[in-house]
Structure formats: C-alpha cells, structure tokens
Amino acid sequence: MHRFWALLKILLINYFGISIFQMKTSKNRKPYFKKIGLVLLIIVALAPTIALYVKLLVQGFDALAPLGQEGAILTLGIVLVSFIVFLFGIFYIINFFYFADDAQSLLALPLSGYQVLGARFSVVLVNEYLSALPFLLPPLLVYGIKSGASVLYWLYALLGFALVPLLPLGLATIPTVIIMRFANLSRRKDLLKILGGLVVIVLAVGYQFLFQKSGPNAMDTAYLQHLLTDRSGLMNLMSRVFPSTRYLGLALINADQLSGLVNLLVFAGLSLLVVALAWLTGDKLYFKGLVGSTETTVKRKKLSEADYRRAGKGLPPLLSYWAKEMRLLFRTPTYFINSVMTNLLVPVLLTIPFFIQGRNQETTMPWEKLLSEPRGQTIIMAIIVGGIVFIIGSNAVTATSISREGRELYVSKYIPLSYRKQILAKLLSGYLLGMSGAVLMIIAARVLMPLDNYLIAMLAGVSLVAVIPVIEAGLLIDLYNPKLNWENEQQAFKQNFNVIFSMLLAILLGGGIIYIVIRYIHTPVQAALFMLLGFGLAALFLYYFLMTWGVRRCHELEG
C-alpha cells in the first residue's frame, strides 16, 4: 500500500499542477493572489445560481413536508450527482487512464495493475467530489436544517457524500477497461475516443428513452395522486435512474432508526463492491490495454500530379486558419466531445422526456395554452432563446480557443496572419458551431410545440445575432487568462475556469435580456426587436473590445 499512496500523491500533485504553482509563487506572489481572486470570483459568480437552487429546495421541502415526502429533495441531489459522474466519468477515465502523457512511463515501474488503476481512479474521484459539491451539498444542508436533523443524520450525510460518486464511477470504469483491452483499437486512439463518446450519448439517450417509456405517464392524474399519497412515491420515482441511490435516501431520512443504519450499510456495500470489481478488472486488463495506447497509425500515399496541384492552391489566409481551428475541434476527441457534441446532446436530452409524454393523446402539455395567446408566445420565444444562449455558452468553443494552443501558442506569432484575422477565424468557428446548436434547439422546439412559421422565422433571426456576443465574451475571457500549461487536452477543459466564466456570462447576458422580455414585453414582434437590439449592441461593444484590447493582449501572451 505504500507504493499506492506514493503514486497517488504524485498523480494528485501533477494533475492539479501543485508543483508548478508552488514554483511560480516561491519567487512571485502575484500568481498566488491571482488564483485566490479567481476562486473568489467564481464563488461570487455562482452565488446567485446556488441561491436560486437553495431557494427551490427550500420551497420544495415546504411543499412536500405536509405529504411526508420531503426526503425527495435528498434523492434529487443524489441522483443528479450520480448521473453527472457516470456520464462524464467515461470521458475522464479514457483520457486520464490511457492517453495522459505519463501513462506509458508507469509500465516500467514495479507497480501492479490495481495499484496504478486505483491511484488514477482516486484522482478522478477527487475531481468528481469537487464537481459534486454544488449539486449535493445544498440538499443535504436544506433537509438537515429544515428538519432539525440529529447528529446521526449529519454523520450519515458526510459518509453519503463520500460514497455517492463511487458506484457511478466504478460502473464507468469497468466497461472502459474491458473495451480498451479487447477492442484492439488502441492504435486508433482518436477514433476510439470519438466513437466512445458517441456510444455514451446513444446509451444515455437510450436509457432515458427506456426509462421514460417503461414508466407510467407522469402527466396522468391518477398516477400523480398515487405518487403524492405514497410516502416514498417521489423517492422511488427519482431513484429509478440509479436504483441504489434509494438506499442512501432512506438512510438519511431514517437516520435515527435502525433501518437507517441498515440502508446506509447496503448502499456502502454496493458502492464498495462495484469499486472492488472495477479495480479487480483493472488488475487483470489495465496494463494490457495500456500498452501502445499512445501510438497512432499513419497512412502513406503516393501523391499524384493532381494532388500536388490541389495542395498548392490552398485557401485564403483567414479561411485556412479557420479550417485549422475546425480540424482541431473535430479531430481531437476531447475537443469534439466537450464542444461539438454539446450542441447535439443538450437539445436531444431536453426533448426526449416531453416528446414521449406528448405522444399520449390524453396528455395536455404545459405550453399548449401559452401558445394560444401573444403573451404566451412571447414567453415561449424568450425561453427558447435562453436555451440557445446557454448551449452556446456551455460548449466553450471560443472560451478555450487560446487555451487549446497550449505551449504551441508561439506559432501564432510567426504565421503571416494578423492577430485581428486570427481572432476573426476563432470567432467564425465558434459562430458556426453555435448556430448548429441553435438550429437543433429550434428544430427540437418545433417537434415539441405547434410553432407558427413566423415564430420560427423570428427565432432564427434572433439566434443569428444572439450567438455573437456569447462567443465574443468567451474569447475575451480566454484571452485574459488562458490555460497554456497542460499535460493532456482534457485539462484544457476540465481544469479551465474560463469554461465556467463563459457559462456564467452567457447566463447573465441572456438571462438579463430574457427577464426584461418576460416581465415587460407582451407581443412576439416587440420581443424579437428588443432581443435583436440588446444582443446586437452587446455584440458591437464586445467586438470593438476584441479588436482593441484583444489584439494588444495577443501581443503580450507567450507560449
């Protein structure tokens, strides 16, 4: 075990960049205060969102307490964290287990498979704890404070927080290790990671489809009545996504009873069993799948005279740089999964539950009455635009465009292309991918709702402008504080605060404009004109800032 702990310590230091940070701050305290400032800024920026989340939990507790179902808010947080850990855990495991720069060097060390896999698993687990904190901590605190919970509850809550990510992360590890061993695709690592990401999306969508299809109609009056009269009805409904989470929910609400301890032990046993199976699988298969995982294949082709002529033509400089950006996004699995696929994933996952429920002829969807009057149409249009803005802000195409250059940023200083045109090329790539997400969102809305053609036309027109300030803000953020020192592409996203800031700015910008629309504007035409004006002015201001301060910042940056 001494070797395991030593390896874990080294991996944690390397993964979170602790040594580099200590080296920089030993001579200059500026990076230290800058890091503290960024953390405080993130806390301040997230505070309104977390406050809204807590407010909804408090209201949910007050509404469910008379029915004896206040424990549903606990299950909500547990299931949400489990799903997030499982969905993104596969991506992180593939990258960190097999394609990190230090993966091959560990083969020569006197370590067993379970020690290496276990240490890497633990690093990913620490990362998942940080991700789970804002989702799981609020419901635990709200339930404990509102219910006047005992000391045992708080002890169980602490243990439960430590146990929640184990089972979904273990479930993500087992198939990944098996596929990497037997698929024999390690020499095609880029193709493997892209296909793996697509498979995860298909599985997530398919699982959600089956979950919604197999369950009763949530809009059915009789089912809702049964759901609300059964004391564990809501908990059972939510835990169907991850059945094991039900045991932790029961353990927390029955903390003062023997059944609470029994349920906690059952949940802990299931979680540790899955982790043990994952480590056992890794002990047998991990090293065999790791061998050759950093190698790639090269196609050799004898070029003809036509090939030479075609290669010599080329594209205009601006388009050539844009094509380079697009190739980087589509050919690098991490960038493809985190940026490109986000545009596809969010609209599809948002559509499926309502689409399945809407197929029931007896079901009345909540927006049908809204669309029958201009005021309701205005609200629906504002909500759709808000969803589009959120998708664009979360795909982080421009918010990581400088960080993706990494240590090779110096190349941009030597190529015969001005910084203005380089910035325009990065904006163009973000705009095209952002518009693809907007189009999918509008298509999803049209599938769900009987939108008139003029509403679709106004949505498309507003989207053409709403995309621009979001991508400009993301690029400005990345210019101000790019993450250029990373060991693998995943760190350019996962450990990059700019992604969070881009998402928050998109929420603030879009949320502010949409709030005004919903609160003060009553017709779709007026709403469209106001949003065009608001997003357009923001786009002009940010563009001017990019072409002035942004260009100066490009001169200052060093790779």
Side-chain angles (χ1 to χ4, degrees), residues 278-356:
W279 287 28
L280 180 62
T281 305
D283 188 48
K284 303 296 182 182
L285 304 177
Y286 178 55
F287 278 165
K288 295 178 181 179
L290 185 60
V291 174
S293 61
T294 57
E295 298 176 5
T296 58
T297 56
V298 178
K299 290 184 178 180
R300 300 184 181 275
K301 176 185 175 182
K302 185 177 181 180
L303 297 178
S304 63
E305 185 178 347
D307 293 328
Y308 280 112
R309 285 199 300 268
R310 186 166 56 252
K313 290 181 179 179
L315 293 171
L318 177 62
L319 292 181
S320 295
Y321 196 80
W322 166 78
K324 186 270 294 184
E325 288 287 315
M326 297 299 289
R327 283 195 297 267
L328 188 67
L329 287 168
F330 277 87
R331 292 181 178 180
T332 306
T334 300
Y335 303 153
F336 181 83
I337 290 169
N338 287 279
S339 292
V340 179
M341 284 186 2
T342 303
N343 295 316
L344 172 65
L345 179 63
V346 176
V348 172
L349 291 182
L350 288 176
T351 303
I352 286 179
F354 298 106
F355 177 73
I356 295 173

Side-chain angles (χ1 to χ4, degrees), residues 50-62 70 73-74 135-149 153-154 157:
I50 295 176
L52 178 61
Y53 181 39
V54 172
K55 182 179 179 181
L56 292 174
L57 291 172
V58 171
Q59 293 176 346
F61 184 96
D62 294 337
E70 62 274 19
I73 68 170
L74 292 172
F135 297 101
L136 189 53
L137 187 61
L140 292 174
L141 291 175
V142 168
Y143 182 88
I145 295 172
K146 294 284 291 183
S147 64
Y153 166 83
W154 296 108

Side-chain angles (χ1 to χ4, degrees), residues 28-261:
N28 183 8
R29 305 295 291 180
K30 185 178 179 180
Y32 176 78
F33 294 110
K34 185 177 180 181
K35 184 70 71 174
I36 293 178
L38 283 173
V39 173
L40 292 176
L41 184 59
I42 290 177
I43 293 174
V44 172
L46 286 175
T49 304
I50 295 176
L52 178 61
Y53 181 39
V54 172
K55 182 179 179 181
L56 292 174
L57 291 172
V58 171
Q59 293 176 346
F61 184 96
D62 294 337
L64 295 172
L67 304 174
Q69 299 208 49
E70 62 274 19
I73 68 170
L74 292 172
T75 308
L76 172 65
I78 298 168
V79 171
L80 181 62
V81 168
S82 299
F83 185 76
I84 292 173
V85 170
F86 175 75
L87 184 62
F88 294 101
I90 292 181
F91 301 148
Y92 303 150
I93 288 167
I94 291 176
N95 281 285
F96 188 58
F97 280 31
Y98 292 96
F99 302 123
D101 289 351
D102 60 353
Q104 293 291 314
S105 61
L106 297 178
L107 290 172
L109 298 178
L111 298 167
S112 61
Y114 83 89
Q115 289 176 326
V116 177
L117 181 135
R120 290 192 173 277
F121 182 94
S122 301
V123 172
V124 177
L125 182 64
V126 171
N127 204 33
E128 296 296 352
Y129 282 136
L130 298 177
S131 302
L133 199 62
F135 297 101
L136 189 53
L137 187 61
L140 292 174
L141 291 175
V142 168
Y143 182 88
I145 295 172
K146 294 284 291 183
S147 64
S150 64
V151 176
L152 273 179
Y153 166 83
W154 296 108
L155 178 61
Y156 287 5
L158 180 61
L159 294 174
F161 182 86
L163 292 171
V164 166
L166 291 178
L167 189 141
L169 195 59
L171 290 177
T173 301
I174 294 172
T176 302
V177 173
I178 294 175
I179 289 173
M180 288 299 297
R181 171 61 184 92
F182 293 107
N184 197 25
L185 290 172
S186 60
R187 292 179 180 272
R188 302 178 184 272
K189 63 173 185 176
D190 290 350
L191 177 63
L192 172 65
K193 288 197 279 188
I194 290 175
L195 290 179
L198 293 174
V199 168
V200 169
I201 285 186
V202 172
L203 290 176
V205 172
Y207 182 75
Q208 188 175 12
F209 179 84
L210 292 175
F211 168 71
Q212 295 283 340
K213 189 71 175 176
S214 61
N217 188 359
M219 301 292 181
D220 183 68
T221 306
Y223 175 69
L224 286 174
Q225 184 177 1
H226 170 73
L227 196 66
L228 295 175
T229 53
D230 183 3
R231 191 173 185 272
S232 303
L234 288 175
M235 290 184 63
N236 293 334
L237 175 66
M238 294 177 183
S239 61
R240 280 166 50 199
V241 181
F242 276 93
S244 62
T245 57
R246 179 175 178 271
Y247 296 107
L248 180 57
L250 292 173
L252 292 173
I253 64 175
N254 299 314
D256 295 328
Q257 303 175 19
L258 180 61
S259 61
L261 178 60

